[in-house]
């Protein structure tokens, strides 16, 4: 019960991130049952050129688990960790087959206590399906052009756990 309340309070309530939020909540719930404690859970609308970050104070030698899950629009996501000086400390990468998917997971033990930026990146997204329009006005033409452009955003959930 307390865990469900925590997930409800820490989740964004926007429909564009609903699928990502539900996916990340499932992953966090499984981790919670495996002995991990929940630190943060959130969902963001992320574009390919605008990553989202959480600034977290992490304790050295404590094991953290970062999990992310993209919605159906996401093809490939990555988790990144930067220190307070902006240096990349750790990140997820391709699996053994050289592929990255819409889910990522990273276990991280900070080398020292301090502030870290934990972020999610949308590396690639599925194309938006084209919906034909019957009206030929300027507004309809602009909507059709926008629909033909590749998708550049997706909902991505990020969970931070520790033990």
């Amino acid at each position: 019960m307390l865990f469900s309340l925590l997930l409800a309070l820490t989740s964004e309530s926007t429909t564009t991130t609903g699928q990502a939020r539900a996916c990340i909540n499932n992953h966090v719930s499984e981790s919670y049952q495996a002995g991990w404690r929940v630190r943060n859970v959130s969902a963001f609308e992320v574009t390919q050129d605008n990553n989202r970050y959480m600034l977290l104070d992490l304790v050295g030698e404590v094991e953290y688990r970062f999990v992310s899950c993209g919605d159906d629009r996401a093809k490939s996501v990555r988790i990144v960790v930067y220190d307070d000086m902006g240096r990349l400390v750790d990140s997820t990468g391709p699996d053994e087959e050289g592929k990255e998917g819409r889910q990522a997971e990273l276990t991280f033990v900070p080398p020292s206590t301090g502030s870290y930026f934990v972020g999610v990146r949308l590396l690639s997204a599925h194309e938006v399906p084209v919906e034909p329009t019957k009206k030929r006005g300027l507004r309809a033409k602009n909507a059709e052009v926008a629909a033909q452009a590749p998708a550049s955003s997706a909902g991505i959930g990020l969970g931070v756990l520790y033990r």
Side-chain angles (χ1 to χ4, degrees):
M1 173 97 175
L2 178 62
F3 177 69
S4 297
L5 178 62
L6 177 64
L7 287 177
L9 291 174
T10 59
S11 300
E12 286 186 7
S13 60
T14 157
T15 57
T16 61
T17 59
Q19 184 184 30
R21 187 174 56 251
C23 180
I24 199 63
N25 285 349
N26 287 336
H27 285 284
V28 168
S29 178
E30 290 169 6
S31 298
Y32 184 76
Q33 293 171 7
W36 290 90
R37 295 182 184 140
V38 180
R39 166 88 188 262
N40 295 74
V41 177
S42 193
F44 314 101
E45 185 70 19
V46 179
T47 62
Q48 287 180 267
D49 58 352
N50 188 15
N51 308 314
R52 293 296 301 257
Y53 296 92
M54 290 182 185
L55 175 60
L56 300 171
D57 289 326
L58 303 179
V59 177
E61 302 192 22
V62 171
E63 185 177 23
Y64 293 89
R65 183 172 181 216
F66 308 122
V67 292
S68 70
C69 189
D71 64 16
D72 284 343
R73 296 173 290 165
K75 271 188 189 177
S76 181
V77 300
R78 179 173 289 166
I79 299 171
V80 293
V81 181
Y82 290 92
D83 65 13
D84 61 349
M85 300 299 290
R87 294 178 295 237
L88 181 65
V89 179
D90 206 349
S91 71
T92 58
D95 62 18
E96 296 82 32
E97 298 173 4
K99 298 179 183 174
E100 293 178 289
R102 66 184 199 127
Q103 297 180 15
E105 182 177 315
L106 177 66
T107 302
F108 177 71
V109 178
S112 61
T113 299
S115 296
Y116 293 85
F117 294 92
V118 179
V120 289
R121 289 185 177 168
L122 178 63
L123 301 178
S124 63
H126 293 284
E127 292 183 12
V128 175
V130 177
E131 295 182 22
T133 59
K134 293 184 180 181
K135 296 181 183 178
R136 299 308 310 163
L138 183 58
R139 180 177 280 171
K141 184 170 176 132
N142 288 342
E144 189 173 336
V145 169
Q148 291 174 354
S152 60
S153 69
I156 301 178
L158 176 63
V160 179
L161 303 113
Y162 69 97
R163 67 172 168 190

